[in-house]
Amino acid sequence: MDPQRMKEVYERLQLLEDRLGHRVRASRGGSMGRATTEQLEERLRDLSQYTSELRQLVEELVLAIGSRPAAPPPSSSQTPGA
């Protein structure tokens, strides 16, 4: 498992939720039955975008779980002549 990649995916998941999460939740008043065509189209676009980005994040999460940790960058103190 690559913990850095997992962390990055988790942060992106939080950003997605902050950006679109409130737009795709069902409204409490049950007003979808009285929504206009334009409102329904906008909600459908939001849901489509959220679903697409969520699918990409889940794919990256699976890859992060199955991958090895990234090799640490070589430190400058180990260079010859230092």
Side-chain angles (χ1 to χ4, degrees), residues 32 35-48:
M32 282 303 291
T36 66
T37 303
E38 291 81 18
Q39 290 170 326
L40 290 172
E41 288 175 355
E42 182 179 350
R43 298 228 25 206
L44 183 58
R45 278 192 303 273
D46 292 340
L47 184 58
S48 296

Side-chain angles (χ1 to χ4, degrees), residues 11-57:
E11 289 171 355
R12 288 177 52 205
L13 183 60
Q14 287 179 317
L15 290 173
L16 175 64
E17 180 62 23
D18 290 345
R19 190 168 40 89
L20 289 175
H22 66 282
R23 298 187 78 164
V24 298
R25 286 189 191 88
S27 58
R28 295 196 183 262
S31 63
M32 282 303 291
R34 295 178 294 256
T36 66
T37 303
E38 291 81 18
Q39 290 170 326
L40 290 172
E41 288 175 355
E42 182 179 350
R43 298 228 25 206
L44 183 58
R45 278 192 303 273
D46 292 340
L47 184 58
S48 296
Q49 182 178 1
Y50 186 86
T51 303
S52 176
E53 290 184 40
L54 186 59
R55 184 202 57 80
Q56 291 171 354
L57 288 171

